[in-house]
Amino acid sequence: MDVAKGVLDKCEGLPLAILAISGLLALKDVNRTEEWEIVRGSLGGELEGTGKLDRVKRILSLSYGDLPWHLKTCLLYTSIYPEDYEIECEGLINLWIAERYVERREGRSIEDVAWGYLTELVNRSLIQVTGVFYEEAPDTCRIHDLLREIILLKSRGQNMVTVTTGQPTMWPSEKVRRLVVHSSSSNNTQHHQQRPNYCFDHLRSFVTIESTNQLLFKTLLSEVSRSSKLLKVLDLGGQETQEEIPNEIFKMFHLKHLDLGGTGVERVPKAIGKLQHLEYLDLGHTRVRELPLEILKLQKLRVLRVYQPVDTSDDDYGFHGFKAPSNMGGLLALEELNCIDASSGSTIVKEKGKLTQLKKLYITKLRREDGKELCSSLANLTSLRELSVDSIGKGDDHDIIDLNHHHPSLSSLFLQSLRMLFLCGRLEKMPQWVARLHGLIRIDLDWSRLRSEEDPLESLQHLPNLGEINFCGSYQGEELCFKVGGFLMLKRLHLKRMEGLRWMRVEEGALPRLHLLFLQQLPLLEELPLGIQHLSNLQRLTLYETSSQLREKLLENQKEESEDYTKIAHIPEILIGYYTDDRKWRDRWLWAEKKKTYNLS
């Protein structure tokens, strides 16, 4: 305890310093006080000086110095991002993998190892999580400004990353290894055109991050494409003006990571088959609708994303996918396939059963008659974690999804491994096997239009790990009842676009862990859910575009002695959103200053 107090005293109450040093000490053996003594001794030398910020930087430097080499490299790589940038965690780990910063370990996928690296950096308080996804997994993160200063200094010293915005600056070395283009307030590339010709022969990565300077981007891309034959990473995500894939790219034999997501690309030429070392191909949010037969030559491809929202203004209607060669089952290394158009028939659905390494499978335009074949294929996908199935149509016009087939070999491994299930299309019945998905933590049902006798809650209420439900147009009945003992782990519930729903009832003992309840576009719901007072852990209630009767009742009747007030007085945040008569959106917080805001991130 004396050692711990000594370390704490050295931090002088500075929160960031305490976080950083606690992250370092957490990995030391608590039974070996000499390890803690070494840290305290190191702090004595590091904290010479007067400025508190300087002392924090020294502690952060000490925390960095304690990292194993692979985590140092991964942390330094975050210098590609601008200051205060919100980093997408999945994108970051895929770049780590492409750069070969992640070691392969027997029995684990390389993606899982990379997530482990990120988790360790988070636990050491060197990366700050800003948003979480399912099961509290990090979704977005950032680097603290003070730590970023240290990272930038060390990254420059190792000539790891060169950042340009098109503004005059001195590049750290003529031999550029990783070139990153950031946005700039100026579209002037004069300095770039007048600078000496830096050597791109050693370039391994070219990445654009929110780059709005199209002239600079195209100038650099032209140079990189012409001279960088050893490039491994090419990330042009978000460059909407990029309508074609430059032919020079197909000469980059060593390319492993190609991100064209959010660009204007419309087609993929046959030359894609030349990139036989490619492991990651992102064509999400592009106009690509078909891949050539030559895609089958990419035997190392691990991630394949080709999709676009059906309606870019509303994500409830699913996605357009891509038409693939009929023998797609030959890409045996695939771990993510998102999103394949199955409208061509049962052959393409059957091929999915050969992709036994798949962890994420997204299918669109599944025909009703191919549902049985899909269930048969799923029996082989024992590592699958995410499954999305979309039928033909939009909204109410969706065709029927028929997955109510019990395949005899639908293994317990598949039923345990699946964590997320998205079904977008009409369901006559909930698939019987859904009730056996004991590993499921999230389910989305869109436009299933289940009749009242097919209550979707029946097959879900006893799933032991289910933490999130999103229903949109999922149910045609008038009442939903959450029964006692049901949904014991559910934290988030979003009900949307159920035009027939009149009543909701929560029995005491149901939904004991619910944190967020979101009710949206339920025009006949005129009363608060019966039993809402039983939801003792509810932190936010959001009501969007509900009936005017319910909205007015809540906004006009906030007296503490009223019945409605006593039912919801325990909820810290209540948000009511609606359109005014002149079609302007308005948000109203029910409690105003009465309640303390709760952070749901």
Side-chain angles (χ1 to χ4, degrees):
M1 290 298 294
D2 291 340
V3 179
K5 186 177 184 303
V7 171
L8 191 63
D9 289 343
K10 293 283 187 181
C11 294
E12 296 186 356
L14 298 172
L16 184 59
I18 294 171
L19 279 174
I21 207 66
S22 61
L24 188 159
L25 291 173
L27 299 169
K28 305 298 182 184
D29 189 341
V30 71
N31 295 315
R32 298 183 61 186
T33 56
E34 63 270 20
E35 292 188 5
W36 285 48
E37 284 284 8
I38 291 172
V39 173
R40 182 170 70 166
S42 300
L43 283 173
E46 294 292 336
L47 293 182
E48 297 298 330
T50 56
K52 287 190 175 183
L53 291 182
D54 288 338
R55 297 178 206 177
V56 173
K57 287 182 183 178
R58 292 187 180 101
I59 291 178
L60 291 173
S61 294
L62 183 64
S63 296
Y64 168 82
D66 189 64
L67 292 173
W69 69 268
H70 62 279
L71 291 184
K72 284 181 179 176
T73 308
C74 289
L75 187 61
L76 290 186
Y77 192 76
T78 62
S79 60
I80 69 172
Y81 298 105
E83 185 177 4
D84 296 325
Y85 186 80
E86 189 165 65
I87 303 167
E88 182 192 24
C89 295
E90 188 173 25
L92 174 60
I93 69 162
N94 276 307
L95 287 170
W96 284 348
I97 292 170
E99 296 280 3
R100 290 297 183 263
Y101 295 158
V102 183
E103 296 177 325
R104 294 189 178 275
R105 295 180 185 174
E106 189 173 351
R108 297 181 64 188
S109 72
I110 196 166
E111 185 181 31
D112 287 344
V113 175
W115 277 111
Y117 288 7
L118 180 68
T119 300
E120 188 167 351
L121 289 170
V122 169
N123 290 341
R124 289 173 177 260
S125 300
L126 296 174
I127 288 182
Q128 299 175 323
V129 175
T130 56
V132 295
F133 198 38
Y134 63 92
E135 209 179 43
E136 304 303 312
D139 183 32
T140 56
C141 62
R142 67 180 295 270
I143 306 297
H144 193 281
D145 292 346
L146 291 178
L147 177 59
R148 185 172 178 272
E149 288 183 27
I150 296 167
I151 290 172
L152 286 176
L153 185 64
K154 295 183 181 296
S155 176
R156 290 189 188 116
Q158 298 180 22
N159 189 27
M160 188 175 189
V161 174
T162 299
V163 176
T164 182
T165 62
Q167 301 302 307
T169 185
M170 180 63 69
W171 288 17
S173 171
E174 291 186 3
K175 293 182 179 180
V176 181
R177 295 179 182 175
R178 295 170 188 86
L179 181 60
V180 182
V181 184
H182 288 179
S183 61
S184 170
S185 58
S186 169
N187 282 329
N188 183 10
T189 61
Q190 183 178 3
H191 103 275
H192 175 78
Q193 293 164 349
Q194 292 178 348
R195 67 166 174 75
N197 288 322
Y198 287 95
C199 176
F200 284 160
D201 291 347
H202 298 268
L203 194 68
R204 297 296 185 269
S205 305
F206 180 61
V207 179
T208 61
I209 299 178
E210 294 188 337
S211 174
T212 57
N213 188 332
Q214 293 301 317
L215 183 56
L216 173 65
F217 160 71
K218 290 183 177 180
T219 301
L220 286 172
L221 180 60
S222 176
E223 286 190 34
V224 169
S225 300
R226 185 174 62 249
S227 60
S228 303
K229 307 304 179 188
L230 300 179
L231 205 71
K232 293 190 297 185
V233 174
L234 182 59
D235 189 334
L236 309 181
Q239 298 299 324
E240 296 179 2
T241 59
Q242 189 67 34
E243 297 179 354
E244 294 185 357
I245 305 176
N247 288 328
E248 291 81 3
I249 288 178
F250 303 115
K251 300 176 184 177
M252 298 175 180
F253 180 72
H254 298 279
L255 200 63
K256 299 180 184 299
H257 182 108
L258 178 57
D259 189 341
L260 298 167
T263 64
V265 170
E266 297 181 354
R267 57 179 292 272
V268 176
K270 294 180 179 180
I272 190 72
K274 296 179 180 179
L275 303 179
Q276 295 187 23
H277 290 282
L278 201 64
E279 299 175 3
Y280 179 100
L281 177 58
D282 191 341
L283 290 160
H285 294 276
T286 65
R287 300 184 182 94
V288 175
R289 293 289 177 272
E290 188 170 358
L291 293 182
L293 184 64
E294 285 71 16
I295 197 73
L296 300 176
K297 295 180 180 180
L298 309 184
Q299 287 295 303
K300 296 182 179 181
L301 200 60
R302 183 179 59 86
V303 175
L304 177 58
R305 298 174 180 167
V306 190
Y307 59 85
Q308 186 181 42
V310 170
D311 185 339
T312 54
S313 65
D314 195 328
D315 59 5
D316 292 331
Y317 297 119
F319 293 86
H320 292 297
F322 69 95
K323 292 184 177 179
S326 58
N327 49 347
M328 272 290 287
L331 293 177
L332 298 178
L334 274 181
E335 295 181 9
E336 177 178 341
L337 181 54
N338 180 7
C339 168
I340 190 160
D341 185 325
S343 61
S344 60
S346 59
T347 300
I348 196 70
V349 176
K350 187 176 182 179
E351 285 287 299
K352 301 294 133 324
K354 299 177 182 179
L355 303 175
T356 56
Q357 300 301 310
L358 276 181
K359 294 183 178 179
K360 300 179 183 179
L361 174 60
Y362 286 65
I363 298 175
T364 188
K365 295 187 178 180
L366 180 75
R367 305 183 308 172
R368 180 178 186 177
E369 57 266 36
D370 294 328
K372 186 174 182 179
E373 190 66 66
L374 177 59
C375 288
S376 178
S377 293
L378 292 177
N380 299 323
L381 306 184
T382 56
S383 297
L384 199 65
R385 297 178 183 175
E386 296 181 22
L387 173 64
S388 174
V389 182
D390 188 352
S391 70
I392 299 172
K394 175 179 176 179
D396 291 342
D397 297 326
H398 270 286
D399 199 358
I400 290 175
I401 297 176
D402 182 12
L403 297 179
N404 203 30
H405 301 279
H406 175 68
H407 193 277
S409 62
L410 198 62
S411 69
S412 59
L413 288 176
F414 166 78
L415 296 170
Q416 290 289 343
S417 67
L418 196 67
R419 315 300 297 280
M420 303 177 68
L421 177 62
F422 310 99
L423 300 178
C424 185
R426 291 168 56 203
L427 294 174
E428 290 183 332
K429 293 182 178 181
M430 282 283 285
Q432 294 180 2
W433 48 265
V434 170
R436 298 162 55 203
L437 295 173
H438 291 166
L440 198 69
I441 60 177
R442 173 177 171 177
I443 185 168
D444 288 20
L445 295 182
D446 290 348
W447 310 113
S448 52
R449 296 298 185 194
L450 289 165
R451 297 185 297 273
S452 56
E453 59 268 25
E454 289 294 332
D455 185 347
L457 302 182
E458 287 294 329
S459 56
L460 302 177
Q461 61 182 335
H462 296 304
L463 291 178
N465 294 295
L466 189 60
E468 180 171 350
I469 289 176
N470 295 288
F471 286 170
C472 175
S474 305
Y475 183 60
Q476 298 183 89
E478 293 187 344
E479 180 180 7
L480 280 176
C481 178
F482 295 85
K483 298 178 181 179
V484 59
F487 300 102
L488 297 181
M489 300 300 292
L490 200 71
K491 294 182 179 179
R492 297 173 180 240
L493 174 62
H494 188 174
L495 304 180
K496 182 178 181 180
R497 289 181 171 172
M498 296 191 210
E499 287 80 5
L501 192 65
R502 294 178 178 273
W503 305 282
M504 284 182 60
R505 185 155 54 95
V506 180
E507 295 182 356
E508 188 171 5
L511 302 167
R513 300 193 181 192
L514 194 68
H515 287 175
L516 173 63
L517 177 58
F518 198 147
L519 305 178
Q520 184 175 4
Q521 293 175 305
L522 308 176
L524 298 185
L525 189 69
E526 298 180 0
E527 300 285 342
L528 287 168
L530 298 174
I532 194 172
Q533 66 272 17
H534 302 317
L535 302 178
S536 58
N537 286 309
L538 193 61
Q539 300 298 332
R540 175 183 285 183
L541 171 64
T542 300
L543 304 168
Y544 273 4
E545 297 180 84
T546 55
S547 67
S548 57
Q549 293 91 329
L550 178 57
R551 181 176 73 243
E552 290 168 4
K553 183 185 297 185
L554 293 176
L555 290 175
E556 295 174 5
N557 190 6
Q558 297 186 41
K559 297 179 181 178
E560 295 189 7
E561 64 273 12
S562 71
E563 183 179 355
D564 283 335
Y565 182 94
T566 57
K567 291 180 181 178
I568 56 178
H570 65 288
I571 305 174
E573 286 190 356
I574 300 179
L575 175 61
I576 301 174
Y578 58 96
Y579 284 104
T580 59
D581 292 338
D582 56 357
R583 299 304 296 169
K584 292 183 179 178
W585 182 260
R586 186 173 184 186
D587 281 330
R588 292 278 301 274
W589 293 97
L590 191 59
W591 302 129
E593 299 300 322
K594 291 184 180 180
K595 300 286 183 180
K596 182 180 179 182
T597 299
Y598 178 84
N599 184 3
L600 286 169
S601 63

